[in-house]
Amino acid sequence: MGNGIIVAVANQKGGVGKTTTAINLGAALADSGQSVTIIDLDPQGNASTGLGVAAGDRNPNSYDLLAGDTTLAKAARATAVPNLSIVPATADLSSAEIDISKRARRTHLLADNLKQATGIILIDCPPALGLLTINAMVAAESIIVPLQAEFYALEGLSQLMLTIRQVRQTANPNLRIEGVLLTMSDSRNNLSQQVEADARQTLGGVVFDTVIPRNVRVSESPSHAMPVIHYDPASKGSAAYRALAAEVLMRRKKEPVRG
Ligand SMILES: Nc1ncnc2c1ncn2[C@@H]1O[C@H](COP(=O)(O)OP(=O)(O)O)[C@@H](O)[C@H]1O
Ligand SMILES: [Mg+2]
């Protein structure tokens, strides 16, 4: 192993804030001096677009990294944010599930090819629990689970937890949950408050203290190819993602090996 910290941002539900969290937590950690690489593992390539990697400029990419046709050092490219690089994704990645399914180490490909990783690696997972997300879970030491503060938020969680348990039993016994992150919360909305209360009661200390508010600046920033903390540093969304970065670093200092 290199001395990298690999964290997967995963939830099989789409639209819960995985990509937004990968980009903005990544940028906030980078701002605090950490060397951060985002691996865009979603064929939709939203993290790549959101960080300004043009669609025609995505070689080498995460598919090549998964396939072992490139190295992390070659595939990671700088972004406009100092200390933040990205391994971009292309739509080719959607065929990866089939292409790699016959390989003997099909669930370990990303782990095998991230052995030399250094710094913090954030993997932006696709909205599914297929081979791509499994590869991320096998490679990662921990998982951040964004949970959108809406009615069915907790419903999909048992399936996700089951998959995490299976990965622990088979491939990655030390895989832990870095934290569950409440996203798109609306403090004036009773439902958001209810979901937050439920999540804290059901999941306990694994829920991050930091809650990400619904904030229009957060949703605008990708179209300007910038993390919100640079697009509008004074916004509530920026403050929340900076707080999340601080909380992640603080928790790690306090409890370097949490169960
Ligand atoms: N805190 C937020 N406030 C407002 N909009 C948000 C926030 N977080 C995410 N969004 C928007 O919600 C949509 C889904 O978020 P995204 O991060 O792409 O989810 P996922 O990667 O899980 O599919 C995007 O349009 C994004 O801009
Ligand atoms: Mg996404």
Side-chain angles (χ1 to χ4, degrees):
M1 280 286 269
N3 50 5
I5 293 171
I6 305 177
V7 179
V9 183
N11 185 329
Q12 76 275 23
K13 270 199 186 182
V16 298
K18 289 182 291 297
T19 300
T20 303
T21 297
I23 290 177
N24 292 300
L25 173 61
L29 287 168
D31 262 19
S32 75
Q34 309 285 325
S35 164
V36 181
T37 305
I38 292 172
I39 297 181
D40 187 350
L41 210 57
D42 184 346
Q44 293 178 81
N46 294 339
S48 310
T49 309
L51 284 170
V53 186
D57 180 31
R58 296 192 184 174
N59 291 309
N61 51 56
S62 57
Y63 183 99
D64 302 317
L65 183 65
L66 198 67
D69 294 336
T70 189
T71 60
L72 179 64
K74 284 189 190 136
R77 81 241 346 252
T79 69
V81 179
N83 296 328
L84 182 67
S85 10
I86 183 163
V87 178
T90 67
D92 288 352
L93 197 55
S94 58
S95 63
E97 303 257 348
I98 297 162
D99 298 346
I100 66 178
S101 64
K102 293 169 209 87
R103 297 206 191 184
R105 290 186 64 75
R106 60 186 166 272
T107 55
H108 288 66
L109 298 174
L110 196 59
D112 290 348
N113 295 317
L114 286 179
K115 285 211 171 88
Q116 305 307 322
T118 56
I120 298 175
I121 314 284
L122 293 177
I123 307 174
D124 184 24
C125 292
L129 292 172
L131 260 185
L132 291 171
T133 296
I134 301 290
N135 262 272
M137 289 183 179
V138 173
E141 66 169 65
S142 67
I143 303 180
I144 290 177
V145 182
L147 208 61
Q148 188 182 348
E150 50 140 63
F151 188 55
Y152 292 111
L154 290 165
E155 298 244 305
L157 221 52
S158 51
Q159 187 58 41
L160 181 66
M161 295 304 168
L162 192 65
T163 304
I164 293 172
R165 217 169 299 141
Q166 283 164 349
V167 169
R168 277 191 192 128
Q169 281 163 4
T170 54
N172 188 1
N174 298 322
L175 179 64
R176 55 189 189 81
I177 298 183
E178 186 83 34
V180 171
L181 177 67
L182 291 157
T183 63
M184 293 179 248
S185 167
D186 184 347
S187 59
R188 292 157 306 180
N189 181 333
N190 284 335
L191 189 53
S192 275
Q193 301 308 301
Q194 187 63 49
V195 172
E196 181 178 344
D198 282 357
R200 293 197 189 282
Q201 190 173 26
T202 315
L203 306 166
V206 79
V207 181
F208 284 115
D209 292 339
T210 307
V211 173
I212 310 297
R214 183 175 286 284
N215 173 225
V216 68
R217 307 304 265 170
V218 172
S219 53
E220 285 169 3
S221 57
S223 61
H224 298 265
M226 267 191 263
V228 72
I229 65 165
H230 290 224
Y231 172 64
D232 186 352
S235 63
K236 283 189 172 160
S238 298
Y241 275 108
R242 279 194 300 263
L244 178 64
E247 185 177 357
V248 167
L249 295 174
M250 176 66 79
R251 280 199 194 199
R252 281 184 166 265
K253 232 182 246 166
K254 260 198 227 153
E255 319 167 59
V257 260
R258 281 190 316 128

